[in-house]
Amino acid sequence: MQLAGKVALITGSGSGIGKAAAQLLGKEGAKIAALGRNEGEVDRTVAEIKSNGGEAMTLIADISQPIMMQQAIQQIADKWGRLDIVFANAGINGVWAPIEELTPEEWDKTINVNLKGTFLTVKYAVPYLKKQGGSVIITSSVNGTRIFSNTGATAYSCSKAAQVAFTKMVALELAEHRIRVNVICPGAIETKIDENTERRNLDKVKEPVEFPEGEIPLTDGEPGTSQQVAQLVLFLASDASSHISGTEIWIDGAQSLLQG
């Protein structure tokens, strides 16, 4: 029980990496504030944690909306009186399209959810984290940090690169309060996020990239799992990473070294 007595906020906890992290951190003793937009999915995550003897609550919010995020974090404080771990994981792939076809509205939506959403999640959590110190983990991506060959993913990649800069800035700012801030950069992971990706007219602008034996060297092309990413989140949330802050960690089976 590495996280006994801790309270963790996990955004995007209804599926994929967020759900796997919520389940694992709950198993390790943390009280889980599971936040998402799909109430049914988040309720299922909470029910599974409770069925395994853990403690969890459902929070429904759009991470890009300040009032909703402020209220959600206030609910955590009202229920448990503290917040120790923040996993700012929620995000979207958005629209991938040639730059002249990407609309300003599509650009804004991706930036608002991925970057502004991260900012709001951390901003409103900080006053509670400062009381005893804690850990913030942010989900970025290999895209925009090591991989730039996914033509059309401009808005997404820019939001993900900015999350790394945000992590480093905030890590230094909050160090005196014993708050660690780190960012994970997953590669191809088995999640539902690709189902929400709109790709338009990319064939005419995409540069060819050849991979002789699959895109992920460590696994001969097989994607990673949400559970593997959850193990990294647990490490960064726990005292095992007590001297690590302001650091990005790629978890991609060396995919980004090959494909970048």
Side-chain angles (χ1 to χ4, degrees):
M1 302 287 279
Q2 299 180 57
L3 305 177
K6 306 287 189 181
V7 174
L9 165 64
I10 300 175
T11 68
S13 58
S15 63
I17 292 169
K19 180 171 185 173
Q23 292 172 328
L24 182 58
L25 269 59
K27 182 179 179 181
E28 289 294 331
K31 298 178 177 69
I32 304 298
L35 186 145
R37 296 186 66 176
N38 185 314
E39 187 169 3
E41 288 186 346
V42 178
D43 279 345
R44 283 191 288 274
T45 298
V46 167
E48 289 168 12
I49 293 169
K50 290 181 175 179
S51 71
N52 289 320
E55 191 171 349
M57 67 183 294
T58 295
L59 296 172
I60 304 302
D62 178 342
I63 63 168
S64 68
Q65 299 302 312
I67 293 176
M68 294 181 76
M69 288 307 296
Q70 192 171 18
Q71 290 175 342
I73 291 171
Q74 184 62 53
Q75 288 180 59
I76 301 170
D78 291 344
K79 183 174 180 66
W80 289 316
R82 63 184 294 151
L83 182 58
D84 305 273
I85 299 159
V86 174
F87 183 26
N89 165 72
I92 60 171
N93 274 359
V95 174
W96 293 18
I99 190 68
E100 68 269 30
E101 296 182 18
L102 186 68
T103 70
E105 293 77 18
E106 291 164 345
W107 170 277
D108 286 347
K109 182 177 180 179
T110 301
I111 299 299
N112 282 339
V113 173
N114 292 352
L115 184 56
K116 183 181 177 183
T118 297
F119 160 68
L120 294 175
T121 301
V122 176
K123 170 183 172 61
Y124 292 120
V126 161
Y128 302 99
L129 293 168
K130 280 184 175 181
K131 293 180 179 181
Q132 71 284 312
S135 176
V136 175
I137 304 113
I138 294 167
T139 299
S140 177
S141 173
V142 293
N143 292 295
T145 59
R146 275 185 175 170
I147 290 180
F148 298 90
S149 57
N150 277 332
T151 307
T154 309
Y156 179 76
S157 293
C158 287
S159 72
K160 294 291 146 178
Q163 285 178 312
V164 173
F166 176 87
T167 295
K168 294 175 184 291
M169 292 295 297
V170 176
L172 191 56
E173 178 180 338
L174 299 179
E176 66 176 296
H177 303 287
R178 293 171 292 113
I179 300 170
R180 296 176 290 109
V181 187
N182 293 291
V183 57
I184 63 174
C185 302
I189 304 294
E190 293 178 335
T191 70
K192 293 182 178 179
I193 193 167
D194 277 346
E195 297 174 7
N196 301 317
T197 306
E198 182 182 339
R199 293 176 171 86
R200 291 201 311 261
N201 300 325
L202 295 177
D203 290 343
K204 62 185 179 181
V205 294
K206 192 169 184 64
E207 292 292 333
V209 183
E210 298 296 331
F211 305 106
E213 296 181 4
E215 298 180 3
I216 307 172
L218 194 61
T219 57
D220 293 326
E222 292 298 316
T225 68
S226 296
Q227 289 72 30
Q228 287 173 313
V229 182
Q231 290 288 344
L232 176 57
V233 174
L234 173 61
F235 167 70
L236 292 172
S238 73
D239 290 340
S241 61
S242 60
H243 204 53
I244 300 174
S245 192
T247 298
E248 63 268 60
I249 301 176
W250 287 271
I251 176 165
D252 67 349
Q255 176 189 9
S256 59
L257 297 177
L258 175 68
Q259 193 177 343

